[in-house]
Amino acid sequence: MSKSKLWGGRFEAGTSELMDRFNASLPFDINLMEYDIEGSLAHVKMLGRQDILTAAEVEEITAGLKAVKKDLQAELEAGDFDFNEAEDIHSLVEARLTAKIGELGGKLHTGRSRNDQVAVDLRLYLKDQTELIREMILKFMQVLLDLAEEHTETVMPGYTHLQRAQALTFGHHLLAYYFKLKRDYERFGDALKRINVSPLGSGALAGSSFNLDRDFTAQELGFERACENSMDGVSDRDFVLEFLSVASNLMLHLSRLSEEVILWNSKEFSFIELADQYTTGSSIMPQKKNPDLAELVRGKTGRVIGSLNQLMLTIKGLPLAYNKDLQEDKEGLFDSVNTVKIILELYPEMLKTMTVKKETMEKAAATGFLNATELADFLADKGIPFRQAHQIVGEAVLFASKKEKELDQLQQKEWEKILGQYLKVDAGELKEKLSVNAAVNSHATKGGPAFEESRRVIIKEKEFLAQKE
Ligand code: ARG
């Protein structure tokens, strides 16, 4: 049987079955069902206020829409919904309404087009999802902040070029991600401003000859305002692009963190051990514990960025106003929303349950001459130009590595050999200066890894999160 349609008057033949399937969006825009009905309820209420429909008509249509929603919810829950019943969610709801209340159902679409309708649905959906995602990011930030607090004094090597560079703390490292996520939280908030606009009443593209109150429907649906141009209203999808771009950015952050989690969890680093709940085994190598969650997050980042790219390519070259190409805006968006949400739920749990191997981190921070810059700074502080100090320390590192020692293991005599010509040396003082903790704590610049400075930042951010509750 051919699907129920919203058009037909000017057609002599039905569409082919295959064309129907190709054209349909119900299998995915069923996701918008509740928003579609919400939009219709606001529209019909406005039609009543503007005397376009009678109060009795409004009442009957409203009750009908609510009943349709209940039916659909029940069918979806029971798993006996027929995804081939109609072309899209809009035709489905209208057909169900008409089946329930008779011909009057046909009045619902007065002064409206599926073009503004679908844009309303998508915005209502995305508004909800963006708010939800923002809340989830806040929870994630809280977990990062708690871990950072726990590890304010857990020293570890910091890396550049994946080479041990300078000592810092695990807490400081996690705080870096905290701030990346904080920006994502803000970016979703910015995107929300542009999502939160009502296109309802834009009609097919040129508004309507009915006296619609667009400000009323905008307010009724909780939008900040109604859009100012009907052609823009039905053709704008940059609110989706913006969301996907912000989501891609979030995924990029989580992908970078995942890469680090994977490295840290490896035997080579052994900085952390992920809990059994968030790792998987190998079917052939019994000793393995794979960081699948982190790997999947890294992998799915490509998928979200892919959806962003796909929609940009879909929109490129589209003339105004609505074109069916725009139906392609949904699947990638839904997929991205679901992907981001499940990750935001799982990831903090993985972090909370990991074991942090402090001793390994500390040992790694104490080897590999991470304190070389410290020594150079010390010499510069004594009046030796930094460039020259750098050269001297280079020689000291060469000297120590030949002896298979770290800098802070050098004896008085050895120091005299290296530094004697420049200053009076005291091996005890140097040993203290070059210890890992002293090195970290000397980096007390604003935003640096010194324990006290990290504590200051954590207190400030705790206040920020407390305010959001
Ligand atoms: N299913 C369509 C979409 O997702 C709804 C709008 C259809 N409009 C139209 N003029 N055919 O974009």
Side-chain angles (χ1 to χ4, degrees):
M1 196 191 77
S2 191
K3 298 179 206 298
S4 74
K5 296 204 172 65
L6 293 177
W7 35 271
R10 68 117 33 243
F11 288 82
E12 284 171 1
T15 43
S16 88
E17 197 104 356
L18 191 57
M19 168 59 190
D20 267 0
R21 226 182 321 140
F22 185 61
N23 193 37
S25 55
L26 187 60
F28 49 89
D29 65 18
I30 187 70
N31 263 335
L32 299 174
M33 186 268 286
E34 297 191 10
Y35 300 105
D36 192 75
I37 292 184
E38 190 186 341
S40 289
L41 286 169
H43 179 65
V44 84
K45 190 167 174 184
M46 180 275 296
L47 292 178
R49 282 168 56 100
Q50 300 298 98
D51 292 327
I52 300 167
L53 295 184
T54 67
E57 287 173 331
V58 171
E59 205 176 303
E60 209 175 327
I61 294 176
T62 301
L65 282 169
K66 287 182 179 165
V68 167
K69 178 166 141 185
K70 252 200 185 143
D71 290 352
L72 289 172
Q73 279 169 333
E75 285 166 41
L76 285 164
E77 204 158 302
D80 56 13
F81 176 71
D82 174 12
F83 289 90
N84 285 314
E85 188 180 325
E87 180 189 331
D88 57 22
I89 183 63
H90 326 295
S91 14
L92 175 79
V93 170
E94 195 177 316
R96 289 286 190 109
L97 179 69
T98 306
K100 241 184 216 320
I101 66 170
E103 252 176 31
L104 175 60
K107 289 203 176 184
L108 169 65
H109 214 50
T110 312
R112 192 175 67 170
S113 154
R114 279 186 294 166
N115 298 350
D116 57 349
Q117 192 177 354
V118 72
V120 172
D121 294 5
L122 204 56
R123 283 172 183 273
L124 287 174
Y125 161 83
L126 205 49
K127 191 157 104 87
D128 268 5
Q129 298 302 324
T130 304
E131 279 161 4
L132 242 156
I133 286 171
R134 288 187 92 212
E135 277 167 30
M136 296 179 92
I137 295 178
L138 283 179
K139 287 201 183 122
F140 198 148
M141 286 164 66
Q142 183 70 61
V143 169
L144 284 172
L145 200 61
D146 290 346
L147 279 170
E149 186 173 32
E150 194 185 329
H151 294 287
T152 307
E153 301 192 7
T154 306
V155 293
M156 74 179 289
Y159 297 80
T160 61
H161 312 269
L162 205 55
Q163 310 281 321
R164 287 185 194 169
Q166 290 181 341
L168 33 75
T169 67
F170 190 49
H172 190 63
H173 200 132
L174 293 175
L175 274 180
Y177 282 103
Y178 169 90
F179 285 107
K180 291 181 197 307
L181 290 200
K182 188 177 181 185
R183 290 193 297 278
D184 292 325
Y185 170 80
E186 289 165 356
R187 269 188 280 265
F188 275 115
D190 290 336
L192 207 47
K193 290 182 207 154
R194 282 163 294 275
I195 294 170
N196 210 354
V197 176
S198 175
L200 193 55
S202 295
L205 78 168
S208 173
S209 58
F210 289 99
N211 179 26
L212 307 179
D213 185 347
R214 296 198 52 226
D215 295 329
F216 174 79
T217 45
Q219 205 192 0
E220 185 75 7
L221 290 169
F223 287 118
E224 235 156 56
R225 60 186 176 85
C227 71
E228 300 281 355
N229 181 288
S230 60
M231 290 185 85
D232 187 36
V234 290
S235 64
D236 167 23
R237 290 297 182 275
D238 57 49
F239 67 98
V240 181
L241 286 179
E242 194 173 353
F243 173 91
L244 287 173
S245 143
V246 175
S248 294
N249 209 45
L250 167 68
M251 289 299 296
L252 286 170
H253 288 151
L254 297 181
S255 184
R256 292 180 77 175
L257 178 55
S258 295
E259 173 65 15
E260 302 208 280
V261 164
I262 292 163
L263 286 173
W264 293 339
N265 187 63
S266 70
K267 268 278 164 301
E268 282 65 18
F269 277 77
S270 275
F271 285 180
I272 59 167
E273 186 175 337
L274 296 173
D276 289 358
Q277 298 97 295
Y278 303 105
T279 46
T280 63
S282 154
S283 59
I284 173 167
M285 297 161 282
Q287 83 284 9
K288 285 187 78 189
K289 219 171 132 184
N290 298 330
D292 284 29
L293 197 162
E295 290 173 53
L296 271 174
V297 170
R298 195 176 55 186
K300 283 177 191 289
T301 300
R303 183 164 161 155
V304 175
I305 296 171
S307 294
L308 168 66
N309 285 330
Q310 176 254 310
L311 186 58
M312 288 200 281
L313 292 172
T314 298
I315 287 174
K316 176 186 177 297
L318 277 195
L320 299 189
Y322 180 86
N323 300 270
K324 194 65 174 250
D325 315 45
L326 289 177
Q327 182 162 289
E328 291 297 313
D329 61 0
K330 289 173 200 63
E331 284 162 291
L333 175 64
F334 296 160
D335 183 73
S336 298
V337 165
N338 294 337
T339 302
V340 163
K341 273 173 30 188
I342 190 164
I343 289 171
L344 287 176
E345 198 172 325
L346 275 169
Y347 216 107
E349 292 308 312
M350 179 182 76
L351 295 180
K352 273 201 284 191
T353 52
M354 72 187 169
T355 307
V356 179
K357 298 181 177 167
K358 290 188 191 182
E359 288 87 56
T360 329
M361 286 188 180
E362 220 170 301
K363 219 160 133 200
T367 48
F369 304 104
L370 278 82
N371 48 6
T373 322
E374 248 46 61
L375 179 58
D377 286 352
F378 172 76
L379 297 179
D381 202 42
K382 298 275 182 202
I384 300 173
F386 186 80
R387 225 4 89 214
Q388 194 189 347
H390 186 283
Q391 173 71 27
I392 297 167
V393 176
E395 287 160 15
V397 167
L398 185 65
F399 177 89
S401 60
K402 277 189 181 156
K403 302 218 156 192
E404 291 185 4
K405 282 183 175 180
E406 288 296 320
L407 287 175
D408 55 351
Q409 292 168 332
L410 292 176
Q411 304 296 314
Q412 178 71 23
K413 283 238 151 53
E414 293 167 318
W415 277 124
E416 277 168 12
K417 223 180 191 167
I418 307 164
L419 301 177
Q421 53 175 308
Y422 308 104
L423 71 163
K424 208 165 135 326
V425 287
D426 172 355
E429 185 195 6
L430 280 165
K431 189 174 172 58
E432 165 54 31
K433 272 254 182 284
L434 298 178
S435 77
V436 181
N437 277 18
V440 172
N441 279 313
S442 70
H443 286 234
T445 31
K446 186 171 183 175
F451 303 166
E452 270 317 304
E453 176 55 12
S454 288
R455 278 190 202 104
R456 182 192 67 79
V457 171
I458 289 168
I459 290 171
K460 202 167 145 217
E461 293 310 312
K462 270 186 172 173
E463 279 164 19
F464 169 80
L465 289 180
Q467 250 181 45
K468 297 282 164 195
E469 271 170 15

